Amino acid sequence: MPLPAGEIAAGVRARELRAVDVVAAALERIERADPELCAFVEVWHEEALRRAGELDARLGRRAGNVPRKEDALPLAGVPIAVKGRHGLRAAEPLLAAGCVAVGATSVPGPGTPWQTWGLGARGRTVNPWRADRTPGGSSAGAAVAVAAGLVPLATGSDGAGSVRIPAAWCGVTGLKTTAGRLPSGDRTGLAVQGVLARSASDAASWWRVVSQEPVPAGTPLPVTAAWSSDLGFAGPDPEPVALARAAVERLAAAGVVRLVRPRAPLRLMDPGPAWLALRTRGADPGEAHRVRAENDRRLAGLFADAELLLTPTTPTAPHGHDGPGDRYSTSLTWAFNLSGHPALSVPAGFGGDGCPAGLHLVAPHGREALLLAVAREAEVRTGS
């Protein structure tokens, strides 16, 4: 398993580790595991080793001198995977911070009506916990690469849950950012940048680099939080609800959150038709804008009473490779692509099928640092 991103970077900057050795080890893990997992569509072996060697040389030349601010390299030598063949542009701030991209991860194959799977160079991407189950998507290979310990960080994008769903089903941390905070080429504004990470601390390292915003070390606890099992419309299965609620109770017992009851129960309008209308060229957006405005009003009321909203991440356990049937795996996530709120999935335990489930944390606009601080405290205090 890889070291945490922060430990790798500290070791490489101090020249206690060589970036080329860290990256070579990641490439070896990928070579061993990817024939079964199919998490990658491309592996950039020679380029990654060349980049790592250049980084070591740069740090070697700097040895004994006072480092310049621009040479700080907060993620020096950290191997990362990028989502899809065209993911390097979104990763530019990470590369500038010293990361080394080792390959492009799998995304859904062409012609499928559902997005909760991936197609790697060697075949369909499998869930690392059960090969007969999907990892979720569309950031499928990214979640698998992180969950299997091939890399500590992988970039993702989230248009309806495409970071958070695979994070939940693969048992890792997945952050969706606030709409408009980071560059996005999505014409609808629904899809935003995100990250898959092995820990909240690693996700926070990503956030500090891409946003230039610090994650506070001492967030006042407990944070007030409201719980909703279904957002008023979703109809999730009992097991993911029970697993997420048990995770909430652990957070409350550890003093990380304090559950509060909002003045009005949260009952959102189903965002599905509005989301689909915004994604369909030529569709009348009027009704979508009405749903968005009404849900925004209801969420503003909730966040007047609580700092966080907590839900299950997904309504079901991971489905098989034949598809999800008539269930929308996005039913608990895409409301927040429509509203633009930042949201985070953290591990919430395992279902009876042996696959992970997720707890979904949603914060007011621009409060990514709060999400990450709470998730980090949860890891420290509960060991999860």
Side-chain angles (χ1 to χ4, degrees), residues 220 222-226 256-260 305-310 370:
V223 172
T224 57
V256 178
V257 302
R258 178 172 63 86
L259 288 175
V260 297
D305 295 331
E307 296 170 89
L308 293 177
L309 168 63
L310 308 177
L370 174 64

Side-chain angles (χ1 to χ4, degrees), residues 112-124:
T112 177
W114 43 280
Q115 299 292 302
T116 49
W117 72 305
L119 184 64
R122 299 178 173 91
R124 68 187 182 192

